[in-house]
């Protein structure tokens, strides 16, 4: 009762980073709440999952081991979580804001009638007073995310419904071992008590998963372009700069929407979160949804022809100018001074 | 063989234009400056529906939207592109709905529409990027879902075969009907308006829209019933008002906070050769690059 649950995303027996990040966050929230951290592993081939996750401070691992449960399909995973949550009555459930988490989370929330907040950039515990009824709720989960409408963040709570559900993107929370020798309890469930045959009506005919070609998540230098880059052709300049510096190319959502760059390159609240040592923002204005994904960069350079662009406030170097002239000069003087 | 198809579509502010000309000096968005548009991925969903209708003439496409009276604009847009019918779900009691309350209202409207083989929705609406309403509707109706669809490859009276686009790959899945499918922007773009359909439907109106216009061509609407767009309230769809709108929303906004970014001590440079060269040297010297 009243514990904090994390749904584990598992591919080929390996727990995804985003799940480990959620366990780290979940552990610290559970400490604050004085409750247990529980994890749910659903799939086949779960042999080493416990070893992978206990060091993150997991108190209870729920295992649903059945070949039919991987690869992931919606209905059986939903049925398992819904029934498990009805039995265990968690106060909080965290999922990755991934293709799987975004397929499963809303389905479960709909079945349980509980609220779900997508793409949180921060999670905290605190009290809440209802303005109308004056009722005070202790220790709610604050689900914090940028809101549409300017540089504003919304603090969202679910006062009356459990579990309080939230999704978080990969890279937003830090992944940190809690204790290498931590061990918890393992509960093996009988899968057939949770799923029915009708849950397996959707069949996967074919599946190709490749390693992503774009690796901006771990890049230490990122040259990122916005709508101000102007065209797909101009983005070539960014690729050239990234190439000579040994970095990767990122983009704002406006640049992605305009077709200048692929979706995998989007940085921000609903894209990738990055922590490079150098972030060069080219023609990016700096809306909060973008900043949410790159503000932890060690050094930020902004190239913008508007001296008052909001991103300049968080930049270490502001080059007021046109990217078409500035970037070729950066390439030229980098080459000149490294030869 | 024909199919009954429902397309879920939302009218959204064009958030893609924020920052370009819609920012006010205080850093908030001037919503009035943002056009209200057909949510982009809902157009991708409509196109998948139209593709089925091309293949199986006689199939019927109904566009369903929940929103203010103005949202009827996207119902007409749907008709201009080839949909057969539109339903506007509008009521004060629906206001302030989070995704769960939205999905409840939509599912009640779908029950009222009655028979359907496929429901198509966009992956996500650009005003929130949440991607929740589709799966939540599917759960409420007790039907399977396929999210992140890129293409409906095959459909027959029993099942549908769909290509999904995952983070790093693709998946082909087969699913029995009825089912709900959410469609990605990597799917084919929606066909443009059709001039004949535009002529046919340009006077299509909901009852509230008709009442707001100064002249009402009663004859027109009685002789051409297809010009009457359905407008349904909470009562019309037998919804429980407690489960709708703000009161039916488990998520509450506790507060909205203005974010002020700590202005850093930043170095300001011009685009002159000297200053850019000096910057590159400094970055090389302190091992940021090189
Ligand atoms: C629900 C939701 C989720 C979102 N998620 C994300 C997200 O994950 N990531 C994201 O980035 N955005 C996201 N956004 C969008 C975000 O609010 C902004 O609209 C977007 O970041 C703006 O992109 P931009 O800075 O490239 O474009 P703009 O705001 O149009 O800025 C362009 C900039 O380029 C400058 N410029 C123009 N020409 C030149 C030139 N020749 N040389 C130099 N500078 C030039 C201009 O001065 C301006 O500052 C989201 C929005 C919503 C509603
Ligand atoms: N008010 C609405 N009316 C009709 N369809 C909606 C509405 N809100 C969301 N949808 C559908 O659900 C999808 C996902 O929306 P969202 O969960 O808000 O990102 C959209 O692309 C629409 O197809």
């Amino acid at each position: 009762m009243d514990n904090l649950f994390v749904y584990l995303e598992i591919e080929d027996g390996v727990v995804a980073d985003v799940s480990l990040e959620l366990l780290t966050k979940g552990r610290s929230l559970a400490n604050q709440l004085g409750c247990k951290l529980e994890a749910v592993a659903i799939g086949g081939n779960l042999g080493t999952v416990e070893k992978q996750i206990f060091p993150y401070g997991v108190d209870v691992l729920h295992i649903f081991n059945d070949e039919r449960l991987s690869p992931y399909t919606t209905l059986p995973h939903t049925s398992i979580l819904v029934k498990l949550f009805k039995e265990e009555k968690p106060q909080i459930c965290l999922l990755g804001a991934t293709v799987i988490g975004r397929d499963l989370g809303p389905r479960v929330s709909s079945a349980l009638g509980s609220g779900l907040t997508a793409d949180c950039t921060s999670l905290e515990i605190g009290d809440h007073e209802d303005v109308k009824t004056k009722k005070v709720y202790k220790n709610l989960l604050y689900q914090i995310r940028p809101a549409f409408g300017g540089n504003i963040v919304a603090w969202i709570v679910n006062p009356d419904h459990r579990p309080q559900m939230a999704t978080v993107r990969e890279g937003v929370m830090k992944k940190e071992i809690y204790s290498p020798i931590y061990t918890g309890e393992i509960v093996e469930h009988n899968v057939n008590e949770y799923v029915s045959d009708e849950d397996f009506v959707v069949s996967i005919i074919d599946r190709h998963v490749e390693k992503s070609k774009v690796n901006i998540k771990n890049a230490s230098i990122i040259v990122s372009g916005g709508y101000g880059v102007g065209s797909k052709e101009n983005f070539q300049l960014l690729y050239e700069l990234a190439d000579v510096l040994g970095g990767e190319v990122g983009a704002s959502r406006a640049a992605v929407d305009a077709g200048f760059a692929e979706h995998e390159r989007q940085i921000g609240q609903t894209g990738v979160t990055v922590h490079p040592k150098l972030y060069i923002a080219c023609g990016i204005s700096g809306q909060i949804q973008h900043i949410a994904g790159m503000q932890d960069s060690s050094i930020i350079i902004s190239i913008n022809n508007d001296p008052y662009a909001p991103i300049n406030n968080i930049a270490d170097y502001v080059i007021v100018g046109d990217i078409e002239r500035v970037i070729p000069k950066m390439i030229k003087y980098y080459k000149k001074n490294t030869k | 063989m024909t199919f009954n198809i429902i397309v879920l579509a939302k009218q959204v502010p064009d958030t893609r234009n924020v920052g370009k000309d819609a920012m006010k000096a205080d850093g908030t968005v001037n919503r009035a400056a943002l056009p209200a548009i057909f949510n982009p991925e809902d157009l991708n969903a409509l196109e998948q529906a139209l593709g089925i209708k091309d293949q199986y003439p006689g199939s019927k496409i109904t566009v369903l939207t929940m929103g203010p009276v103005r949202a009827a604009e996207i119902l007409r847009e749907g008709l201009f592109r080839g949909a057969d019918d539109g339903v506007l779900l509008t009521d004060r009691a629906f206001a302030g709905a989070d995704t769960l309350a939205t999905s409840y209202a939509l599912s009640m409207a779908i029950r009222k529409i009655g028979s359907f083989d496929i429901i198509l929705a966009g992956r996500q609406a650009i005003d929130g990027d949440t991607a929740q309403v589709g799966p939540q509707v599917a759960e409420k109706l007790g039907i399977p879902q396929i999210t992140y669809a890129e293409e409906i490859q095959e459909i027959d009276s029993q099942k549908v075969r769909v290509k999904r686009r995952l983070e790093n790959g693709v998946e082909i899945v087969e699913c029995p009907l009825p089912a709900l499918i959410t469609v990605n922007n990597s799917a084919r773009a929606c066909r443009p308006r059709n001039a004949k359909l535009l002529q046919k439907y340009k006077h299509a109106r909901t009852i509230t829209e008709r009442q707001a216009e100064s002249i009402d061509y009663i004859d027109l609407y009685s002789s051409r019933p297809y010009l009457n767009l359905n407008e349904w309230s909470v009562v019309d769809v037998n919804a429980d008002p407690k489960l709708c709108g703000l009161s039916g929303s488990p998520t509450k906004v506790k507060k909205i906070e203005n974010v002020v970014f700590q202005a850093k001590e930043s170095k300001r440079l011009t685009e002159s050769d000297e200053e850019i060269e000096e910057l590159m040297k400094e970055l090389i010297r302190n091992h940021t690059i090189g």
Side-chain angles (χ1 to χ4, degrees):
Chain A
M1 270 277 277
D2 269 346
N3 290 329
L4 188 154
F5 278 61
V6 172
Y7 171 83
L8 301 175
E9 227 163 277
I10 302 163
E11 175 92 29
D12 293 331
V14 180
V15 179
D17 277 345
V18 67
S19 305
L20 301 177
E21 292 160 11
L22 289 175
L23 289 176
T24 304
K25 184 72 198 178
R27 181 66 261 171
S28 86
L29 296 175
N31 287 351
Q32 246 179 300
L33 292 165
C35 74
K36 286 184 177 166
L37 172 63
E38 308 199 19
V40 188
I42 305 173
N45 179 18
L46 301 177
T48 67
V49 167
E50 54 182 271
K51 282 202 204 72
Q52 297 173 55
I53 65 151
F54 279 140
Y56 290 88
V58 175
D59 299 305
V60 182
L61 169 61
H62 296 269
I63 291 196
F64 294 86
N65 207 339
D66 188 323
E67 286 307 322
R68 295 174 300 166
L69 296 172
S70 53
Y72 167 89
T73 52
T74 313
L75 299 176
H77 283 239
T78 302
S79 294
I80 289 173
L81 282 194
V82 169
K83 183 158 189 284
L84 181 68
F85 287 175
K86 282 184 181 160
E87 293 162 357
E88 299 287 335
K89 304 198 175 13
Q91 57 173 313
I92 293 173
C93 167
L94 306 178
L95 303 99
T98 56
V99 165
I100 289 177
R102 285 154 60 94
D103 185 84
L104 176 65
R107 190 98 199 185
V108 173
S109 89
S110 184
L112 297 172
S114 59
L116 170 63
T117 305
D119 300 319
C120 296
T121 51
S122 176
L123 297 170
E124 289 174 22
I125 303 294
D127 298 342
H128 170 67
E129 185 186 295
D130 188 288
V131 270
K132 273 212 206 101
T133 62
K134 299 285 172 222
K135 184 168 170 193
V136 176
Y137 298 83
K138 289 276 173 209
N139 289 331
L140 290 190
L141 180 69
Y142 294 160
Q143 302 147 48
I144 304 166
R145 77 188 298 258
F148 169 62
N151 277 337
I152 52 181
V153 256
W155 296 49
I156 294 163
V157 289
N158 308 351
D160 295 312
H161 300 266
R162 294 292 174 274
Q164 308 165 75
M165 297 178 68
T167 67
V168 179
R169 287 194 176 245
E170 185 178 340
V172 173
M173 305 293 173
K174 270 203 198 67
K175 170 179 101 175
E176 218 160 17
I177 300 263
Y178 186 65
S179 155
I181 53 165
Y182 203 92
T183 46
E185 177 195 344
I186 296 175
V187 184
E188 287 253 17
H189 293 269
N190 179 352
V191 173
N192 287 322
E193 288 172 12
Y194 287 79
V195 298
S196 63
D197 288 345
E198 294 90 80
D199 286 333
F200 295 94
V201 291
V202 176
S203 45
I204 298 177
I205 310 285
D206 197 11
R207 190 161 185 269
H208 295 283
V209 182
E210 310 132 24
K211 274 259 168 289
S212 169
K213 286 183 283 301
V214 182
N215 185 12
I216 50 174
K217 189 179 79 183
N218 297 317
S220 65
I221 295 175
I222 294 175
V223 182
S224 194
Y227 194 73
V229 171
S231 66
K232 197 168 176 172
E233 291 67 50
N234 272 357
F235 247 78
Q236 271 315 315
L237 285 174
L238 277 63
Y239 283 100
E240 279 170 42
L241 179 60
D243 205 39
V244 297
L245 298 181
E248 272 285 355
V249 171
S252 71
R253 191 175 93 169
V256 171
D257 285 343
F260 303 166
E262 307 98 296
H263 185 257
E264 293 95 289
R265 298 192 186 273
Q266 181 177 317
I267 290 171
Q269 182 209 355
T270 58
V272 185
T273 297
V274 296
H275 318 260
K277 73 177 188 209
L278 176 62
Y279 190 88
I280 307 178
C282 312
I284 292 177
S285 64
Q287 300 307 311
I288 187 163
Q289 290 91 355
H290 187 78
I291 291 184
M294 48 65 73
Q295 59 192 344
D296 292 334
S297 308
S298 313
I299 293 180
I300 298 169
I301 301 177
S302 162
I303 309 171
N304 201 304
N305 59 11
D306 172 6
Y308 304 106
I311 192 144
N312 295 349
N313 287 333
I314 61 158
D316 300 272
Y317 300 91
V318 175
I319 308 175
V320 180
D322 191 306
I323 61 125
E324 287 183 57
R325 281 188 299 273
V326 174
I327 296 180
K329 286 186 191 178
M330 291 174 87
I331 297 172
K332 177 174 155 198
Y333 291 115
Y334 175 78
K335 285 186 175 161
K336 181 178 157 199
N337 289 289
T338 45
K339 276 283 153 312
Chain B
M1 190 164 42
T2 60
F3 296 91
N4 274 323
I5 309 167
I6 296 172
V7 176
L8 303 181
K10 185 179 186 187
Q11 192 180 42
V12 292
D14 192 354
T15 60
R16 298 168 306 179
N17 276 319
V18 175
K20 282 158 223 154
D21 20 54
M23 291 307 277
K24 294 192 268 188
D26 64 357
T28 59
V29 171
N30 177 9
R31 279 168 191 259
L34 292 178
I37 58 166
F38 203 117
N39 181 49
E41 288 184 318
D42 302 354
L43 282 173
N44 295 102
L46 176 61
E47 175 58 33
Q48 290 299 315
L50 292 168
I52 297 172
K53 194 174 138 183
D54 291 342
Q55 202 183 344
Y56 299 100
S59 294
K60 182 178 177 193
I61 302 174
T62 304
V63 179
L64 168 62
T65 190
M66 180 178 96
V69 172
R70 183 178 173 194
E73 288 168 2
I74 68 167
L75 299 182
R76 277 187 290 280
E77 189 63 45
L79 294 169
F80 297 160
R81 294 177 194 242
D84 301 279
D85 200 1
V87 177
L88 171 69
L89 198 54
T90 193
D91 196 311
R92 255 207 215 124
F94 290 132
D98 69 2
T99 60
L100 197 74
T102 301
S103 68
Y104 170 70
L106 291 173
S107 69
M108 293 309 283
I110 291 166
R111 286 180 202 278
K112 175 162 168 127
I113 292 171
S115 69
F116 60 87
D117 303 293
I118 313 170
I119 301 171
L120 287 158
R123 173 187 53 149
Q124 61 192 34
I126 58 170
D127 56 352
D129 278 10
T130 61
Q132 288 174 191
V133 170
Q136 286 174 332
V137 168
E139 174 66 30
K140 293 237 159 5
L141 296 170
I143 58 174
Q145 73 194 38
I146 302 174
T147 51
Y148 293 85
E150 185 163 272
E151 190 190 357
I152 295 178
Q153 296 183 320
E154 261 176 57
I155 180 164
D156 63 37
S157 58
Q158 302 301 317
K159 61 183 188 312
V160 60
R161 180 190 284 231
V162 173
K163 179 168 150 205
R164 303 179 71 211
R165 167 83 28 204
L166 310 178
E167 276 121 347
N168 305 315
V170 292
E171 203 173 75
I172 312 285
V173 297
E174 222 167 64
C175 172
L177 296 177
L180 183 143
I181 300 172
T182 76
V183 183
N184 269 352
N185 55 12
S186 59
R188 347 185 254 286
C190 192
R191 63 197 64 184
R193 297 170 171 192
N194 171 302
K196 274 198 194 131
L197 294 173
L198 183 73
Q199 286 310 313
K200 178 174 174 188
Y201 286 113
K202 67 181 174 197
H203 293 296
R205 294 289 182 274
T206 68
I207 186 72
T208 307
E209 284 184 306
R210 280 176 56 189
Q211 285 161 355
E213 284 175 12
S214 46
I215 335 163
D216 191 0
Y217 307 95
I218 293 179
D219 294 348
L220 183 70
Y221 291 96
S222 52
S223 63
R224 297 182 195 170
Y226 57 83
L227 293 180
N228 294 292
L229 297 176
N230 304 290
E231 181 180 315
W232 293 346
S233 66
V234 168
V235 174
D236 292 329
V237 298
N238 291 314
D240 178 349
K242 284 197 296 298
L243 298 177
C244 295
L246 202 57
S247 63
S249 298
T251 60
K252 312 280 179 206
V253 177
K254 178 179 167 58
K255 64 172 173 181
I256 297 276
E257 213 178 43
N258 220 322
V259 188
V260 189
F261 292 108
Q262 266 314 333
K264 280 192 190 171
E265 281 289 324
S266 51
K267 266 194 194 166
R268 295 248 160 188
L269 319 174
T270 68
E271 53 179 53
S272 74
D273 285 64
E274 300 71 42
E275 291 188 59
I276 305 261
E277 177 159 22
E278 193 39 52
L279 169 68
M280 296 319 273
K281 281 185 179 163
E282 187 175 324
L283 294 175
I284 293 165
R285 229 183 295 126
N286 64 25
H287 303 290
T288 303
I289 54 178

